[in-house]
Structures are given as C-alpha cells and as structure tokens.
Amino acid sequence: MSANAEKPLPFLFQFTAGAIAGVSEILCMYPLDVAKTRLMLQVGKGGSDQYKSIFDVFSRIIKEEGASRLYRGILPPIMVEAPKRAIKFASNDTYGPMFQKLFNSDKITQPIAIMTGVSAGVTEAVIVATPELVKIRLQAKENAGKYLGTMDCVRKIYAEEGLRAFANGLEATVWRHALWNGGYFGSIFAIRAMLPKAQTKKGELAVNFAAGAIGGTIGTTLNTPSDVVKTRIQNYNPTNGPPKYTTFLPGARAIAREEGFRALYKGYVPKVLRLGPGGGILLVVYEYVTTYMRNHLM
C-alpha cells in the first residue's frame, strides 16, 4: 500500500463516501425494510389477517396496495441516508484515533473497534430518530390512507401530537444503532483478520463484502429486539390512550411477557436479508469510493 493510500481522508471525503455508500444500499434494499416494518408492527401471536412470511408480505402488498407501496416512505430515509451513513463512517474514523490516544494504543484493537462503533452509533441515532419516526408512520399498513406523503405526515404529527412526538423512540433508537454499530465494526475487525489475505483488488473487494455481510448479520442479530421496540413506540397512536412503554428495556420485557421472546425477533428475516448483504454493499462501495479519492483526489 502506498503512503498516499495510508493518509486519513479529510472529513468531507469521508462524508461524501459514506453518503454514496448509504444511498446505493437503500436503493437496492428498501422493499425489505417495508416488509420488516410490517412484520414488527404485528402484535400478538398470529391471526388470519397477519402476514405469515416475508413472501406473504410482498405478495399481499402488491396485490392489495400496488407494487409502488414497496417504496412507500422512501423519501425520509433517502433524505437522511446520506448524513446517516456518512456520520457512521466519519464518526467511526474520528472516534478510532480518539480511543487509540485514550488507551495509548498504536493500533486499532477489537475492544477499541467495538467502542468506536458504539460511539458512532449513538451519534448516528440522534440524527436519524425523527426521520425514522416519519418513515415508520408512512410504512405502517394502518396509516395507508392517513398520510398523503412525507410533508403531510410531518404536518399531521405536529398538529395532532405536538413537537415532542418527533422525539418518540429516541432512546430505543440509540440502543438500536449502538448495538448494530458495535457488533458491525467490532466483528468486521476480527473477521478481516481471520479471512485469507487478498492478493488482488478483486480479492480485496470479496473479503470486504464477506466481512461486511457477516458483520451486518451479527449487528442485526444484536439489535433486532431494540428495533422492534423502537418501531412500535414510533408508530403508537396517542388516541389509543397512554402507551404501555416508551423506552427499550421496559418495552422488551412487555413484548416478551405478552407475546413470547420470539416476538422480539419479528421482522428478523427481511432485516437480515437487507442488512447482511446490505452491510456488504455498504462496505464495498465505501472502500471503492475512498480508494478512488485517495488515488485521484489527494
């Protein structure tokens, strides 16, 4: 590797590369996010009107609502995806050296990689919590006729629930992103070390894709319960009375008690199908773009 390639990228370059990687991933994988949300919002252990599987979600949405509904609510995540993914990688690249200095380490160790990922996740969560709430409201089946679009959704939430409603689920969002980022960045550090050393550029891309996909799956397994709780908190309708829970741990306990532990993993399959391969796409595109920047723009 050349000395030029080893130079840390300026923040603007990190931000841009993260944005390109994030938008690429969401355009490829968004219908799976809609399926995930529909499954997570199903309360109870089953019923004739509930979705039975990811394939049932897709077929019924297309049949009952039209194929365009698979991209319902895409505008909020598209708008926030660039800063969200950019912050994920830029924060990770910023916190890493900070923790190295704090612990007097001359290299990134796995504990430092985990702490760095968790810190980046907390930073990211603060940015994405409100757009996530708007996205969930638009994706939910019961809200299909309530909101005409993104701005109509924002106006109605503000008019009916007040400004504070946009912060609903913030704490659970912090849990979701901290757990995913810690698992993702912490695991790809170890996975890369275990995989064979790449001898070619194509081999390096394959290693990055495999590490990213495995890391995404690990992160997803860790954070799905917090995602289920977050999704339900953010879609809660205050006209139904006081909510049963407003934070992650009480919410997780209530869901496990009333619906069984498996309910905390509703939507896991589409979530893994998105964030497993999606994590690979994310990492490969980010690495490709940053390599291009180092070779041509620095």
Side-chain angles (χ1 to χ4, degrees):
M1 186 179 289
S2 67
N4 188 51
E6 294 176 354
K7 290 181 181 179
L9 284 172
F11 178 81
L12 180 60
F13 283 17
Q14 295 174 15
F15 188 96
T16 302
I20 293 170
V23 171
S24 299
E25 187 272 341
I26 196 172
L27 290 174
C28 292
M29 312 301 286
Y30 188 75
L32 288 167
D33 191 66
V34 175
K36 177 208 76 170
T37 298
R38 294 288 181 96
L39 290 167
M40 286 183 171
L41 289 175
Q42 292 189 148
V43 178
K45 296 184 179 181
S48 59
D49 61 334
Q50 291 198 344
Y51 299 113
K52 304 300 186 294
S53 67
I54 181 175
F55 302 106
D56 189 40
V57 176
F58 285 143
S59 63
R60 285 178 57 184
I61 287 177
I62 293 170
K63 181 180 178 180
E64 298 169 7
E65 305 172 47
S68 64
R69 288 289 179 176
L70 293 174
Y71 283 87
R72 172 77 170 173
I74 196 173
L75 185 58
I78 282 286
M79 292 173 64
V80 79
E81 192 70 16
K84 176 179 113 175
R85 296 301 186 187
I87 287 167
K88 180 192 294 292
F89 284 103
S91 296
N92 192 65
D93 289 345
T94 299
Y95 287 125
M98 183 185 76
F99 283 120
Q100 280 183 262
K101 184 177 180 181
L102 180 64
F103 294 102
N104 295 316
S105 176
D106 59 354
K107 62 180 181 179
I108 297 287
T109 62
Q110 188 167 15
I112 288 178
I114 293 171
M115 287 187 290
T116 296
V118 169
S119 300
V122 171
T123 304
E124 178 189 354
V126 174
I127 304 298
V128 306
T130 296
E132 274 283 317
L133 182 144
V134 176
K135 181 198 76 172
I136 295 299
R137 297 292 182 95
L138 290 168
Q139 289 180 337
K141 183 179 181 179
E142 60 267 33
N143 295 334
K146 183 175 182 179
Y147 306 118
L148 300 177
T150 300
M151 293 312 299
D152 184 55
C153 180
V154 170
R155 283 193 294 267
K156 286 179 177 176
I157 291 172
Y158 178 72
E160 297 169 6
E161 303 172 46
L163 186 62
R164 292 182 62 182
F166 291 105
N168 288 349
L170 173 60
E171 183 261 3
T173 305
V174 169
W175 275 99
R176 185 184 79 156
H177 287 265
L179 288 169
W180 196 89
N181 279 269
Y184 178 75
F185 286 109
S187 63
I188 62 172
F189 177 88
I191 293 162
R192 278 172 165 169
M194 291 187 290
L195 291 173
K197 184 73 174 177
Q199 302 300 320
T200 64
K201 188 62 182 176
K202 286 185 178 180
E204 185 179 342
L205 288 174
V207 168
N208 284 336
F209 186 89
I214 296 169
T217 302
I218 291 171
T220 297
T221 303
L222 290 173
N223 89 334
T224 296
S226 57
D227 200 5
V228 171
V229 175
K230 176 203 78 73
T231 298
R232 294 190 180 188
I233 290 172
Q234 292 185 324
N235 193 52
Y236 181 75
N237 188 337
T239 60
N240 294 330
K244 291 182 179 179
Y245 46 82
T246 57
T247 54
F248 168 51
L249 292 177
R253 285 194 294 267
I255 292 170
R257 182 176 63 250
E258 296 170 9
E259 302 173 52
F261 180 80
R262 290 182 62 185
L264 292 171
Y265 280 87
K266 287 184 175 181
Y268 178 76
V269 172
K271 190 173 165 68
V272 164
L273 289 176
R274 181 190 179 189
L275 294 180
I281 293 170
L282 194 65
L283 189 61
V284 167
V285 175
Y286 183 77
E287 292 289 342
Y288 182 85
V289 173
T290 53
T291 298
Y292 178 88
M293 288 175 168
R294 288 191 177 99
N295 291 339
H296 298 281
L297 302 179
M298 291 183 67

